[in-house]
Amino acid sequence: MRAMMRIARGAAAAALLIGTVLHAAASPRGSSAAAPAPASIAVTIDVDAAVSRGPLKPIWRFFGADEPNYATMKDGRKLLAHLGALKPGAVYFRAHNLLNTGDGTPAFKWGSTNIYTEDADGKPVYDWTVVDRIIDTYRARGVRPYLQIGFMPEALSSAPPGTPYQHAWRPGFAYDLIAGAWNALPKDYAKWAELVYQWTKHNVERYGRAEVESWYFEVWNEPNGPSYWTGTQEEFNKLHDYAIDAVRRALPTARVGGPDVAGSGGAFMDKFLAHVVDGTNHATGRIGTPTDFLAFHAKGQPTFVDGHVRMGIAAHLKGVSNGFAKIAAVPELAGKPIVIGESDPEGCAACPGPQNAYRNGTMYSSYTAASFARIWDLADQHKVNVEGALTWAFTFEDQPWFAGYRQLATNGIDLPVLNVFRLFAKLGDTRIAARSSGQIPLAAMVEQGVRGAPDIGTIATRTADGQLAILIWHYHDDDLAGPDAAIRVNLAGLGRGKSRHLTQWLVDESHANAFSAWKALGSPQSPDAAQYAALEKASALEPVGPPQAITVNGGRASVDVTLRRQGVTLLMFDSSGD
């Protein structure tokens, strides 16, 4: 007997007092309500629960943002709690600007803590108030720091006199206008090292040795480009050595690494890797620099073509592949854990523009599913130890609703992409054999992305308690309407039981999607309390109907699923106990 699971097309918002969602509002950007519905795409997915493919690391549990002070504001606190709930105690957050001078007022691509100033005699004055508040906010919500040591306090900056300290960048400005005295090398490396030492020592005293041992410590951001670092390669190596030595003097067991270069890092990364392996350490005079993990960045490259967004997932995956290859080529470092310290569809979370219009809806969520799947595959291909892929997205406090920034929530309402991370959190730690006839091969995906047939792919896992979790996505680079996928899921290796219970979770235009619900409300910029509650409900990830009993015959079963373009679904099979 074959169970049938059909994804409902009725708008979830209808049950939320917001009326029926028009088909045009629930279609991908650029589609037309008048266009005839194309035929569905037939896809077969074969899963064998008895064949293990090894561990599936939860690399998705890392997040970050330029603006550290948003974390302590109302919407930031709410979103951090949602992130912490994904995998309590194992979610990490990276933020720029934690050492900047200022009163803690956030701005685009800016933040400050006033952690370091000097008195009239030039003696250091340490103030942990603001930075403690940020880290306390993380810890109260089950999130731990991926602690970026940067940028340069004003009193330590070697920038020429008269250089503005805080930049005045805002959306629409050229990216290079974020420069300021905050990105200069220190005028006194001893004072720089002492700041890092005292901060680490304070963290150990405040949070406990075992807690701080679980953090990641890295120095600066993208030192291979002029936006964030005005010094030379060797000056960065010196900055890095002094900071890492200071951390380790305060906590010899601290987890330290870097360098979080832009892209795979080119020659800069090659020289950094050589330095930490066999270069002379600037702080200690010994050979090499302690390195517990390595970090680089990878970004996609969307464009705006013929009135719609076209994603550049190939550029993202090439960056990942190149970064893995660089590290794998250094024998002393090839087995080190790797964190892709920023891993995103494009480069600037706060930058507007038509090429970024995909962020509010299901293009971002389906891209996330498809790209993470390939990062796991690329790690296997390069035989590297990937530990994390950090999504550089958080929230922008008190901005217009669904303004188009790369974020996980708007005004306290979760976007569809966050629900894909909730699906990731339900996956098991053991990958099992799974093959989709609609999945684009890895090599083709890296080379050209998804420009012809869509990528209808899968990952299947087994959880510790014996559940099967099968993730399926329907992705295309072009943000246009397309046919549904008619998917037959064939399962084998289910054991001797006679049935399983199937629960389906879904993120698409009509499920777990506050953006569609907001458009159905008329796109209000000041929702009232009832509308806000409706949007919260629309944003929630809920099962698609009650669990279904699935008949198992000889360890086999089949299920049919219809998945819309840009949809992501998770099928969870529990044992019925018979």
Side-chain angles (χ1 to χ4, degrees):
M1 178 178 178
R2 186 168 65 247
M4 306 293 287
M5 282 287 292
R6 297 292 183 185
I7 297 173
R9 291 174 176 267
L16 304 178
L17 307 177
I18 57 179
T20 302
V21 179
L22 298 177
H23 180 74
S27 298
R29 181 180 177 85
S31 63
S32 170
S40 61
I41 303 169
V43 174
T44 300
I45 292 177
D46 296 308
V47 177
D48 192 335
V51 178
S52 173
R53 297 298 191 203
L56 187 75
K57 291 186 177 181
I59 63 173
W60 48 265
R61 59 197 168 91
F62 294 76
F63 302 91
D66 291 72
E67 303 84 4
N69 305 100
Y70 284 152
T72 62
M73 299 177 74
K74 64 183 187 309
D75 294 338
R77 295 193 304 268
K78 181 178 181 179
L79 179 54
L80 277 174
H82 290 180
L83 296 181
L86 294 172
K87 196 173 181 65
V91 173
Y92 287 85
F93 198 88
R94 176 175 182 249
H96 297 337
N97 303 304
L98 287 173
L99 300 185
N100 287 12
T101 302
D103 62 4
T105 300
F108 285 108
K109 300 188 72 63
W110 179 258
S112 60
T113 64
N114 224 44
I115 197 170
Y116 180 94
T117 54
E118 294 181 357
D119 65 17
D121 296 324
K123 294 181 179 179
V125 176
Y126 304 111
D127 185 348
W128 317 118
T129 305
V130 176
V131 74
D132 281 352
R133 186 181 306 128
I134 292 168
I135 296 176
D136 288 351
T137 303
Y138 296 166
R139 297 302 303 118
R141 289 156 183 81
V143 174
R144 287 184 159 131
Y146 180 110
L147 206 62
Q148 180 184 306
I149 302 171
F151 296 113
M152 195 57 60
E154 188 170 17
L156 286 178
S157 175
S158 65
T163 303
Y165 182 71
Q166 180 177 348
H167 63 72
W169 187 92
R170 63 192 66 215
F173 282 21
Y175 195 85
D176 58 7
L177 294 180
I178 69 168
W182 58 269
N183 68 1
L185 56 155
K187 58 187 179 185
D188 187 322
Y189 280 90
K191 286 184 175 181
W192 162 254
E194 186 64 15
L195 165 59
V196 177
Y197 170 80
Q198 292 294 340
W199 187 25
T200 307
K201 180 173 175 287
H202 169 76
N203 285 329
V204 172
E205 292 168 351
R206 183 176 182 85
Y207 301 104
R209 183 187 184 95
E211 170 61 29
V212 181
E213 284 176 335
S214 72
W215 300 1
Y216 294 78
F217 290 84
E218 61 92 9
V219 184
W220 223 256
N221 177 67
E222 299 187 351
N224 56 327
S227 294
Y228 287 96
W229 179 244
T230 57
T232 65
Q233 164 106 53
E234 196 60 27
E235 286 167 335
F236 172 74
N237 291 348
K238 183 175 180 179
L239 181 90
H240 175 84
D241 287 351
Y242 270 86
I244 295 302
D245 178 64
V247 171
R248 281 290 186 87
R249 283 191 288 112
L251 181 61
T253 51
R255 179 164 46 185
V256 296
D260 271 290
V261 286
S264 57
F268 187 104
M269 186 64 158
D270 295 334
K271 292 176 182 177
F272 176 84
L273 298 177
H275 174 73
V276 300
V277 170
D278 56 20
T280 300
N281 188 293
H282 291 276
T284 68
R286 294 190 290 270
I287 298 301
T289 304
T291 304
D292 298 313
F293 68 95
L294 293 157
F296 64 90
H297 298 173
K299 306 284 184 175
Q301 193 172 9
T303 55
F304 199 64
V305 180
D306 297 330
H308 72 276
V309 173
R310 173 174 289 167
M311 304 302 289
I313 199 170
H316 187 173
L317 298 177
K318 285 175 186 175
V320 172
S321 185
N322 291 340
F324 286 166
K326 276 187 179 295
I327 295 167
V330 182
E332 297 89 342
L333 301 174
K336 295 285 185 182
I338 297 170
V339 178
I340 309 171
E342 295 180 22
S343 180
D344 302 292
E346 27 66 29
C348 177
C351 295
Q355 72 275 16
N356 295 332
Y358 72 89
R359 292 160 160 178
N360 290 319
T362 53
M363 173 57 90
Y364 190 10
S365 51
S366 59
Y367 179 105
T368 297
S371 61
F372 270 83
R374 277 15 185 264
I375 293 171
W376 273 305
D377 290 344
L378 284 168
D380 290 343
Q381 182 183 84
H382 288 279
K383 296 180 173 57
V384 295
N385 181 15
V386 64
E387 191 160 288
L390 191 150
T391 296
W392 198 254
F394 188 52
T395 191
F396 292 86
E397 195 90 14
D398 296 327
Q399 295 299 312
W401 283 80
F402 298 98
Y405 303 118
R406 191 174 69 238
Q407 55 189 352
L408 304 174
T410 177
N411 290 280
I413 299 297
D414 296 339
L415 298 182
V417 65
L418 183 53
N419 284 316
V420 169
F421 289 103
R422 292 187 170 109
L423 297 182
F424 287 161
K426 295 179 183 296
L427 292 172
D429 294 330
T430 301
R431 194 166 183 172
I432 57 177
R435 179 187 178 278
S436 170
S437 65
Q439 186 160 328
I440 304 296
L442 178 62
M445 194 83 164
V446 173
E447 181 60 31
Q448 60 195 28
V450 187
R451 301 299 169 88
D455 181 46
I456 305 167
T458 190
I459 286 176
T461 67
R462 183 171 56 248
T463 66
D465 60 0
Q467 295 185 80
L468 303 182
I470 303 172
L471 185 74
I472 308 171
W473 59 89
H474 185 172
Y475 171 76
H476 198 284
D477 276 346
D478 287 300
D479 194 7
L480 294 170
D484 297 345
I487 304 168
R488 168 68 58 83
V489 181
N490 297 317
L491 299 106
L494 296 181
R496 300 175 62 183
K498 296 181 180 179
S499 68
R500 291 261 182 161
H501 288 132
L502 167 61
T503 301
Q504 183 184 16
W505 309 81
L506 176 62
V507 181
D508 70 359
E509 287 294 330
S510 302
H511 299 80
N513 190 332
F515 185 48
S516 290
W518 179 73
K519 290 186 291 184
L521 283 169
S523 305
Q525 280 301 325
S526 299
D528 61 27
Q531 291 172 323
Y532 192 94
L535 292 172
E536 281 194 304
K537 188 173 182 181
S539 73
L541 181 68
E542 302 286 354
V544 181
Q548 284 197 353
I550 306 299
T551 299
V552 177
N553 188 357
R556 297 178 177 273
S558 293
V559 174
D560 287 337
V561 178
T562 299
L563 188 60
R564 299 177 67 176
R565 181 145 154 154
Q566 299 186 1
V568 183
T569 192
L570 184 72
L571 308 180
M572 297 216 48
F573 294 86
D574 297 324
S575 174
S576 67
D578 58 17

